[in-house]
Amino acid sequence: MAQEKKIRTHRQLRTALATAAAAALTGGLLVVTASTATAATPSGTRGDFNGDGYGDVAVTAPLASVNGTSGAGSVSILYGSKSGAGAAKVQTVSQNSAGVPGAAEKDDTFGGTAAAGDFNGDGYADLAVGSYKEDVGSDVNGGSVTILWGSGGGLSGGTSVKDPSAGSHDYFGTMLATGDYNGDGRADLAIASDLNVIDVYRGGFTKTGGTGGHYTVTAPVQRIPGADFRNLIPGDVNHDGRTDLIADGFEADSQEGWNANYYLPGSASGVTRTGAQKLPAGLVSDVGDVNGDGYGDVVIGAQWDKDIAGAHKGGVVKVVYGTANGPDGGQDSVNQDSPGVPGAGETADAFGYELSLGDINGDGRADLVVGAPGEDLNGVADAGMVTVLYGSTGGFASTGAQSLAQDSPGVPGDNERGDSFGEEVYLADTNNDGRADLTVGAPHENNGDGYLVTFNSNGKKLAATGKGYGLTATKVSAAGTPLLGFGMTG
């Protein structure tokens, strides 16, 4: 597919749609970010690593060099403040940081995945970080997961999460998702590897390595070595106070092997396949109450031009509305040819390549930010664009949408070939005004250095003026291709 070839050419780090027979991976990295809306947050501290009341944003640079070691990876924290993310403090952590287990080693990809939550219940958000290509002893690419602990001074020190079946799989930490899956008021952590089995650790983590228990869930996706999962996304769809999990992979119930998402409900015993439902295809998703009815809606990005059910030239975003029975309240879709949406559907725009939900205008309904990193602007290929759609009682409103690009007034930088502005987007309230603010990643800016732009809500919409953060601000090495802004969570 032309779309697939284009994505492979300039960012060989995200899986593309393929059949099982076509070998599933396009290349190295996979990333998951915790759901920004309706995922159960028992302590209310998700993303507030220093407990000051402002949401913080963790930004990964999984190929960053650390002390001359290439591909070791790092995570930068843009701490929230009255002026927004990063304005007051930025911290960068690697496996060479004091108290963090392990050491920065070649191609570990520390920060390939990340998920936030108050894992030890002390009132500070913590950060789980995956290094899924880390060698563990003689186990090549065994993978590891580290919890960085929140404190009054921010993230400090860390503890390894024990792999319950080390040696029987690879890439432990490929996907991470935080939620209260059993409704006991504690943050649980779901971890995927290269099998179709999800390891779930119950809340009650300790700095000495203890947890509140462990169980596994076999997801209804094809078992393909190294390619079982594309994403794990948490969120409370049926409004029962327990986090549900959306697992993305290849269909196990058809011979074609197309991509699909599966809804796995939370229950008193945790994530379960009982009541599982198959959802439309799309590599990224989020959960939030788009129409204000109290149930979490599943929003799915499908960036492909064709070859899947419901595809649209340039990409499409699908909405599956939640009810008390799960995601069975009907479906909707929006694309760049929909009324009121900026731009037009063009081949390989990749509209829906990334997305994030949050309440930007404070009306109690989740708004949507959509990345289209393949968007060509004014003759500049793959410059990238971000679209903001606002929630309403009928779904996403056909009026009031915004578009942001690096040639927009007030946005730092310029449209440049291959920057892929909007390849990562994340909404969180970083200035404590009750409205969601936006951080945009352009990980391919400056030949893979990466760049971040933050936008604050003005109370009604996103303010058009952004603030930029690059390698200097984050103190990430310029060696190689660090890909600052590849993933975000908070």
Side-chain angles (χ1 to χ4, degrees):
M1 295 181 289
Q3 167 84 15
E4 187 173 315
K5 291 178 181 178
K6 182 177 183 181
I7 290 176
R8 286 177 176 176
T9 299
H10 79 273
R11 70 179 90 85
Q12 297 181 348
L13 299 170
R14 174 69 69 86
T15 51
L17 180 67
T19 65
L25 291 177
T26 60
L29 302 173
L30 302 163
V31 69
V32 64
T33 57
S35 176
T36 58
T38 75
T41 52
S43 66
T45 60
R46 170 169 288 178
D48 186 3
F49 302 116
N50 58 1
D52 63 357
Y54 298 101
D56 309 315
V57 179
V59 180
T60 71
L63 297 187
S65 292
V66 177
N67 294 342
T69 302
S70 63
S74 66
V75 177
S76 297
I77 313 301
L78 305 184
Y79 285 93
S81 69
K82 186 177 181 179
S83 299
K89 178 182 178 181
V90 178
Q91 174 191 19
T92 293
V93 181
S94 73
Q95 285 185 289
N96 279 5
S97 298
V100 177
E105 298 168 320
K106 181 178 173 61
D107 296 331
D108 275 354
T109 63
F110 181 79
T113 54
D118 184 7
F119 297 116
N120 61 355
D122 66 354
Y124 297 100
D126 313 303
L127 184 66
V129 182
S131 309
Y132 74 90
K133 290 182 68 178
E134 181 161 19
D135 297 343
V136 182
S138 60
D139 186 7
V140 177
N141 293 331
S144 70
V145 175
T146 302
I147 294 179
L148 306 177
W149 300 108
S151 70
L155 293 179
S156 178
T159 302
S160 296
V161 178
K162 184 178 179 180
D163 183 345
S165 52
S168 65
H169 59 220
D170 287 329
Y171 308 119
F172 183 65
T174 295
M175 297 292 167
L176 306 175
T178 306
D180 182 7
Y181 301 112
N182 59 0
D184 67 353
R186 300 189 294 181
D188 310 318
L189 179 63
I191 302 177
S193 61
D194 69 342
L195 303 179
N196 61 346
V197 176
I198 304 168
D199 288 290
V200 184
Y201 296 79
R202 293 188 176 92
F205 292 80
T206 68
K207 293 185 178 181
T208 57
T211 72
H214 167 265
Y215 62 95
T216 62
V217 181
T218 301
V221 299
Q222 286 195 30
R223 186 167 181 168
I224 307 170
D228 291 27
F229 290 106
R230 297 296 173 275
N231 230 330
L232 294 178
I233 293 294
D236 188 1
V237 176
N238 57 7
H239 195 57
D240 65 353
R242 302 183 182 103
T243 308
D244 311 311
L245 196 60
I246 311 299
D248 180 79
F250 290 113
E251 296 173 331
D253 56 355
S254 80
Q255 297 299 313
E256 294 177 336
W258 294 113
N259 174 271
N261 289 279
Y262 294 88
Y263 164 76
L264 305 177
S267 72
S269 59
V271 180
T272 176
R273 283 185 62 165
T274 302
Q277 298 181 39
K278 184 178 177 181
L279 304 177
L283 294 183
V284 297
S285 58
D286 205 348
V287 180
D289 185 3
V290 172
N291 56 7
D293 65 356
Y295 298 101
D297 307 310
V298 184
V299 180
I300 301 169
Q303 78 270 20
W304 308 294
D305 295 313
K306 56 182 181 179
D307 296 327
I308 62 168
H312 185 85
K313 184 178 180 179
V316 63
V317 171
K318 307 170 186 179
V319 185
V320 185
Y321 293 100
T323 73
N325 298 317
D328 62 357
Q331 299 185 20
D332 203 352
S333 66
V334 61
N335 56 67
Q336 286 184 290
D337 293 318
S338 298
V341 178
E346 301 164 318
T347 300
D349 278 350
F351 180 82
Y353 185 90
E354 192 55 77
L355 52 82
S356 184
L357 289 166
D359 188 359
I360 296 169
N361 56 10
D363 66 355
R365 293 183 285 266
D367 308 311
L368 176 67
V369 174
V370 183
E375 184 84 30
D376 299 345
L377 296 171
N378 298 322
V380 180
D382 301 337
M385 187 176 81
V386 168
T387 300
V388 186
L389 305 173
Y390 289 89
S392 74
T393 55
F396 292 115
S398 60
T399 60
Q402 295 177 266
S403 64
L404 299 167
Q406 286 188 286
D407 65 349
S408 301
V411 179
D414 297 295
N415 289 341
E416 297 172 317
R417 181 181 178 86
D419 276 357
S420 300
F421 183 79
E423 186 167 314
E424 182 63 36
V425 294
Y426 191 73
L427 285 168
D429 182 7
T430 59
N431 59 5
N432 199 23
D433 66 353
R435 269 66 167 170
D437 310 302
L438 174 64
T439 304
V440 178
H444 299 278
E445 176 109 7
N446 296 331
N447 298 314
D449 284 353
Y451 192 67
L452 313 169
V453 181
T454 63
F455 301 87
N456 291 338
S457 169
N458 65 11
K460 296 182 179 180
K461 61 180 183 179
L462 288 175
T465 301
K467 183 173 182 180
Y469 297 87
L471 300 183
T472 300
T474 56
K475 298 182 180 179
V476 172
S477 170
T481 54
L483 299 183
L484 176 68
F486 178 76
M488 299 181 195
T489 189

